[in-house]
Amino acid sequence: MSTLSLRLPDSLHQQVKVLARQDGISINQFISSAVAEKMAALVTEERLKERAQAGSESDFFKALSKVPSVEPDTSDVL
């Protein structure tokens, strides 16, 4: 495990302290979780971009053409 020195504005530090306490975890756990969530979002975005580049518009419309044109179920109507 690595050690990281992090400088936070006092107001942010206080909010993190309160939220970590409410969640029943340490500030270190809270910040580690927040960093992991941000990393997961960025990695997911990158993977979705890669998949989008691998697809083709013609394949999309070909697949879409196989979807039947029917009215939505009554439970799906707004």
Side-chain angles (χ1 to χ4, degrees):
M1 188 164 304
S2 299
T3 300
L4 176 68
S5 178
L6 178 66
R7 296 187 189 282
L8 295 174
D10 290 338
S11 59
L12 184 57
H13 181 229
Q14 289 304 316
Q15 288 176 339
V16 167
K17 188 187 298 186
V18 168
L19 292 171
R21 186 178 302 130
Q22 287 175 353
D23 213 20
I25 59 175
S26 70
I27 291 175
N28 283 346
Q29 289 173 304
F30 185 89
I31 292 173
S32 292
S33 176
V35 170
E37 287 179 27
K38 180 65 175 185
M39 288 175 60
L42 293 172
V43 168
T44 299
E45 180 183 19
E46 187 60 33
R47 289 195 179 144
L48 289 174
K49 284 180 182 177
E50 289 170 3
R51 287 188 66 188
Q53 290 174 350
S56 75
E57 189 173 334
S58 63
D59 286 345
F60 169 73
F61 285 114
K62 185 177 175 181
L64 193 60
S65 71
K66 296 178 182 179
V67 177
S69 179
V70 296
E71 290 296 316
D73 189 74
T74 55
S75 63
D76 287 337
V77 176
L78 297 177

